[in-house]
């Protein structure tokens, strides 16, 4: 077990990448606090973890709120005694459209969840990790941060911001033995996928068009990111910090 007795918080873990990662980390022996604004979904992830013999608890939190971030960090450390991993994964997508059609409210919502939500998670998790002199603060960015495509400028800019935040925080955390890493997934089969394609549901034609841009010839499954997150959280990744790891089948080449 690669994460035996480690303590992890995963945000956005009611669904998609977060749920798959919470399950994978628990399978590797971690105690996982499953965090989401969708409390029923978070509880469903915990049920799956427990059915598989793992240890987890659910917490409702809105990552855009400072008090919620503080509360989940306090809850995990009170329940399990420390904090080894904070995976700031919760995020919201953007419907494909040119900038002139994006309203200010949409900008504020995307930046509030995708940037401020991550910033707040770091603000409360890093001091605990620095005191422990160990830990990983992990962030879900996107290939949109590296290779933006037309019609996704607001989302791309939010993910670009957290890639830079990853590097800046890695420098602050390194003297304390703490690592900060981002993962940049290409399009992934989760409930978020149709929004990126500006469709209510993913249809075969849009999927084929997207897949054709990925050299390895498929999109991610949530499990592809979960496996990367487990590796980054393990001792095998001890020299990786400040990086943005592309999990993209070659899409960004
Ligand atoms: N699916 C993709 O194609 C793709 C590609 C690259 C990056 N990403 C990123 O991966 C991350 C996970 O997305 P996913 O694809 O698993 O989508 P998803 O919709 O399945 O999961 C996102 C989760 O975040 C939660 N959430 C949203 N706002 C929140 C808030 N304010 N507080 C707490 N929880 C909140 C949602 O309730 C949901 O459970 C996001 O950061 C997303 O931007 C997704």
């Amino acid at each position: 077990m690669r994460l035996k007795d480690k303590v992890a918080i995963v945000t956005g873990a009611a669904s998609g990448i977060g749920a798959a990662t919470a399950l994978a980390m628990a399978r590797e022996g971690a105690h996982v606090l499953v965090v989401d604004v969708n409390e029923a979904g978070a509880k469903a992830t915990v049920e799956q973890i427990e059915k598989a013999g793992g240890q987890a608890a659910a917490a409702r939190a809105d990552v855009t709120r400072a008090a919620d971030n503080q509360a989940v960090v306090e809850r995990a450390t009170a329940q399990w005694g420390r904090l080894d991993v904070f995976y700031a994964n919760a995020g919201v997508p953007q419907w494909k459209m040119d900038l002139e059609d994006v309203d200010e409210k949409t900008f504020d919502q995307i930046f509030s969840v995708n940037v401020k939500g991550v910033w707040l998670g770091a603000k409360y998790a890093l001091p605990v990790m620095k005191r422990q002199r160990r830990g990983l603060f992990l962030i879900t960015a996107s290939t949109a941060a590296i290779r933006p495509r037309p019609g996704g400028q607001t989302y791309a800019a939010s993910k670009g911001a957290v890639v830079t935040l990853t590097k800046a925080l890695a420098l602050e955390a390194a003297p304390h033995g703490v690592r900060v890493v981002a993962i940049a997934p290409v399009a992934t089969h989760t409930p978020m996928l149709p929004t990126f394609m500006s469709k209510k549901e993913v249809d075969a034609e849009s999927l084929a068009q997207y897949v054709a841009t990925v050299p390895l010839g498929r999109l991610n499954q949530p499990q592809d990111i979960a496996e990367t997150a487990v590796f980054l959280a393990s001792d095998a990744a001890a020299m990786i910090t400040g990086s943005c790891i592309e999990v993209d089948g070659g899409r960004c080449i």
Side-chain angles (χ1 to χ4, degrees):
M1 280 193 175
R2 286 177 289 171
L3 305 182
K4 189 159 170 41
D5 294 332
K6 293 203 179 196
V7 175
I9 294 173
V10 183
T11 73
S15 174
I17 291 168
T21 303
L23 273 152
M25 287 185 169
R27 222 173 11 246
E28 292 290 338
H31 307 286
V32 183
L33 189 61
V34 174
V35 173
D36 208 288
V37 75
N38 170 3
E39 192 174 14
K43 285 183 175 162
T45 302
V46 169
E47 261 176 42
Q48 283 189 65
I49 290 173
E50 287 176 343
K51 260 191 205 149
Q55 291 210 34
R60 191 208 169 273
D62 178 345
V63 298
T64 68
R65 290 171 43 89
D68 287 15
N69 282 280
Q70 187 172 15
V72 296
V73 169
E74 284 175 2
R75 164 110 185 253
T77 50
Q79 193 158 342
W80 293 306
R82 57 177 213 265
L83 180 61
D84 299 290
V85 181
F86 188 114
Y87 186 12
N89 164 74
V92 289
Q94 172 187 359
W95 286 90
K96 210 170 163 185
M97 60 179 78
D98 288 348
L99 177 64
E100 52 271 38
D101 298 320
V102 181
D103 58 30
E104 216 178 317
K105 204 171 140 224
T106 300
F107 173 92
D108 287 341
Q109 194 227 357
I110 289 174
F111 269 69
S112 180
V113 180
N114 295 4
V115 183
K116 189 180 177 193
V118 174
W119 186 89
L120 283 170
K123 186 170 169 61
Y124 292 101
L126 285 177
V128 175
M129 292 177 178
K130 285 180 180 175
R131 275 198 300 278
Q132 297 172 161
R133 299 202 61 79
R134 59 175 294 148
L136 168 70
F137 190 83
L138 186 61
I139 298 169
T140 305
S142 168
T143 51
I146 301 156
R147 226 179 143 219
R149 311 307 303 158
Q153 69 308 111
T154 310
Y155 179 81
S158 75
K159 294 301 188 178
V162 294
V163 171
T164 302
L165 186 64
T166 299
K167 296 178 203 287
L169 293 179
L171 288 176
E172 288 181 16
H176 305 273
V178 175
R179 297 181 297 118
V180 184
V181 182
I183 298 175
V186 75
T188 305
H189 288 285
T190 74
M192 196 178 281
L193 187 59
T195 310
F196 289 124
M197 293 176 172
S198 278
K199 304 268 172 168
K200 284 221 164 85
E201 280 174 31
V202 175
D203 59 85
E205 195 190 339
S206 313
L207 188 60
Q209 273 174 9
Y210 209 113
V211 165
T213 70
V214 181
L216 280 181
R218 68 170 176 90
L219 305 190
N220 277 320
Q221 293 296 338
Q223 196 59 24
D224 291 305
I225 313 304
E227 289 298 339
T228 306
V230 166
F231 163 68
L232 290 169
S234 75
D235 295 340
M239 266 304 271
I240 300 178
T241 197
S243 316
C244 177
I245 312 285
E246 294 154 31
V247 182
D248 71 341
R251 170 79 159 80
C252 288
I253 297 167

